[in-house]
Amino acid sequence: QVQLVESGGGLVPAGGSLRLSCTASGRTVSMDDMAWFRQAPGKEREFVAAVNWRYGGRIFYADSVKGRFTISRDNAKNTVYLQLNSLKPEDTAVYYCAGRLTGSSTYDNWGQGTQVTVSS
């Protein structure tokens, strides 16, 4: 099992920036990909971005955040980051970090979430 803890959420005005962090502990050597998802009030959870944990390549973004958000990782710190720039009110959501273990087809490990609120 892998434990994930997010931090860095907050309230920002439209056009502002935030950096979210997700620190992993436990069986991190078994982790393949890490990703960020978000869930807005009344909506389903949606994919935001993902990065390969071991090699850093294979980075993917949702179309809605391309060019504004950047995912990165620091294996020495067991941490994945999500830099959020040019924030819009529609980016308001709870942001979740998720990890997929090698051999698994789904994200089985989830953090508790961190709230991002963008004011207009």
Side-chain angles (χ1 to χ4, degrees):
Q1 276 290 62
V2 175
Q3 293 76 44
L4 303 172
V5 178
E6 303 99 332
S7 61
L11 172 63
V12 294
S17 298
L18 281 174
R19 189 176 79 157
L20 307 183
S21 300
C22 173
T23 300
S25 60
R27 291 179 56 197
T28 58
V29 293
S30 300
M31 212 147 50
D32 209 358
D33 294 333
M34 288 192 71
W36 288 93
F37 290 77
R38 67 185 181 185
Q39 188 167 19
K43 294 188 177 181
E44 293 189 354
R45 188 174 298 183
E46 65 174 1
F47 169 80
V48 175
V51 62
N52 180 261
W53 177 251
R54 298 176 189 275
Y55 307 112
R58 291 186 353 208
I59 292 177
F60 302 98
Y61 295 100
D63 288 343
S64 58
V65 305
K66 279 181 183 176
R68 300 189 299 121
F69 292 7
T70 303
I71 190 170
S72 62
R73 91 223 191 283
D74 184 336
N75 287 48
K77 296 182 178 179
N78 281 343
T79 299
V80 171
Y81 303 98
L82 186 68
Q83 178 68 41
L84 292 69
N85 296 330
S86 302
L87 282 162
K88 305 174 182 180
E90 52 263 43
D91 294 317
T92 295
V94 178
Y95 283 70
Y96 296 91
C97 176
R100 183 180 67 79
L101 299 181
T102 301
S104 174
S105 60
T106 61
Y107 287 94
D108 300 316
N109 301 273
W110 293 84
Q112 82 288 351
T114 185
Q115 176 71 46
V116 171
T117 303
V118 184
S119 61
S120 57

